[in-house]
Amino acid sequence: MPTDDLGTTLEPARPPQRVVSLVPSLTEALAASCPEVLVGATDWCTHPADLDVARVRGTKNPNLRAIADLSPDLVVANKEENRELDVRRMRERGIPVWVTDIEDVPSALTAMRRLFVEALQQPVPDWLDRADELWGGPAPAPRGLVAVPIWRDPWMVVGPRTYTTDLLSRLGWSNAFAGADADPDKRYPHVGIEQIDRSGIDLVLLPDEPYDFTAQDGPEAFAQAPTRLVSGRLLTWYGPAMVEAYEALAVE
C-alpha cells in the first residue's frame, strides 16, 4: 500500500478522479499533467493563470467544509505549506490526504515522482523527467555568497534546510544564512538589515513573493550589497517551474 512522505498509508483504490491541491506548486504540476482530475485549489494557486477550479481559501486556513463538498478522492498537501491540524481534520472526515515533505531539490524530484506514480497513479510527466535531467547532477563550485529576503519590516531571509537554499547551491550560490553556524531550526530567520547589506554579500535576490519586492520597494534599502529582482516562483516552486528556473537562473 502506498505511503505519503510522512509515512501515512493510503488504502489502495482506483486512480483518483477528483483531487484538491492545497499547494500552489503542486497545483501547477497537476494542471500541467492531469488537469482533468483537479477540482479544487487554494486562492494562492495562481498558475496556470486560467485555472478554473473551485477555490478553498488559503494554504494555512483552508475551508474544510468547501473541500468536503467537492467530494475529493484525494487532497494533496505539504508539511511546510499546510497545517497538521487541517490534515488531521480532513482525515477525520474520511478524506484521503497525501502529504509531501520537501526540503531540497532531490526530495522535490522524488516527492513529485511518488505523487504521480503512487498517489495519482499517473504517468511521470515529461517536465518532471526534464527537471530531473537539469537538476539531478552535483552542485557546481560556489561562485559567490547570496542572501534572499522573503519579508521586510521585520526582515526575514531564507535559511537552512530549505528547497530554495539547495536550489541556489545548484546554481553555484552559497546562502549566507544557511552556513554551519546557522540555527537548523530557523529555516526563515529574522535578521537586521545590516546583516544582509554588508560587504561579503555578492548578491541579494529580492523575490516577488511572499513579500512583493519591486523596483520601488526593496533595492533602496541596500547601500553595499547589489540587488536583483527575481520571480519568487522560480526560487520556491517545485514542479514545472523547475524547468523555467534552470533556464532563467542557471550560470550564464
Side-chain angles (χ1 to χ4, degrees):
M1 292 187 290
T3 59
D4 70 10
D5 291 353
L6 300 187
T8 298
T9 300
L10 288 184
E11 294 295 331
R14 61 185 175 86
Q17 301 298 305
R18 299 180 61 80
V19 179
V20 173
S21 173
L22 301 183
V23 186
S25 301
L26 298 181
T27 298
E28 182 181 28
L30 291 169
S33 310
C34 47
E36 69 281 357
V37 307
L38 188 61
V39 297
T42 74
D43 296 343
W44 297 104
C45 295
T46 56
H47 286 72
D50 61 352
L51 182 65
D52 184 19
V53 297
R55 301 294 177 158
V56 295
R57 220 157 52 199
T59 58
K60 305 297 185 187
N61 64 337
N63 186 328
L64 302 185
R65 177 173 295 178
I67 293 172
D69 288 345
L70 290 170
S71 302
D73 301 315
L74 186 68
V75 172
V76 177
N78 176 263
K79 180 182 177 182
E80 179 179 9
E81 295 256 9
N82 309 116
R83 301 189 308 165
E84 188 277 335
L85 175 63
D86 293 319
V87 170
R88 175 161 50 82
R89 286 176 172 171
M90 283 185 285
R91 286 173 172 159
E92 289 172 352
R93 290 172 178 253
I95 300 172
V97 183
W98 183 276
V99 182
T100 58
D101 185 14
I102 294 171
E103 293 187 353
D104 52 28
V105 170
S107 63
L109 295 168
T110 298
M112 288 188 296
R113 192 170 294 269
R114 295 187 65 240
L115 171 65
F116 278 97
V117 173
E118 299 179 34
L120 299 172
Q121 301 176 49
Q122 294 277 346
V124 175
D126 292 342
W127 60 259
L128 182 49
D129 282 335
R130 179 59 176 156
D132 209 344
E133 178 184 332
L134 293 171
W135 293 104
R143 57 172 168 151
L145 200 62
V146 71
V148 185
I150 59 167
W151 205 260
R152 69 176 300 178
D153 303 327
W155 288 91
M156 296 175 64
V157 295
V158 173
R161 293 176 45 244
T162 58
Y163 169 82
T164 300
T165 288
D166 189 53
L167 182 104
L168 289 170
S169 75
R170 293 165 190 274
L171 295 170
W173 292 104
S174 296
N175 184 351
F177 295 95
D181 58 342
D183 185 340
D185 295 325
K186 294 183 178 179
R187 301 176 69 190
Y188 301 97
H190 289 79
V191 297
I193 184 62
E194 71 283 355
Q195 295 174 268
I196 315 172
D197 186 28
R198 59 178 173 82
S199 62
I201 300 290
D202 296 294
L203 183 64
V204 176
L205 295 174
L206 298 174
D208 58 6
E209 60 176 68
Y211 188 92
D212 185 12
F213 288 104
T214 66
Q216 293 74 40
D217 185 0
E220 82 289 343
F222 296 85
Q224 298 186 66
T227 63
R228 181 189 301 171
L229 298 172
V230 65
S231 164
R233 172 173 164 269
L234 298 187
L235 288 180
T236 62
W237 287 35
Y238 31 88
M242 296 178 76
V243 177
E244 294 179 47
Y246 188 89
E247 294 170 349
L249 304 173
V251 178
E252 302 170 354

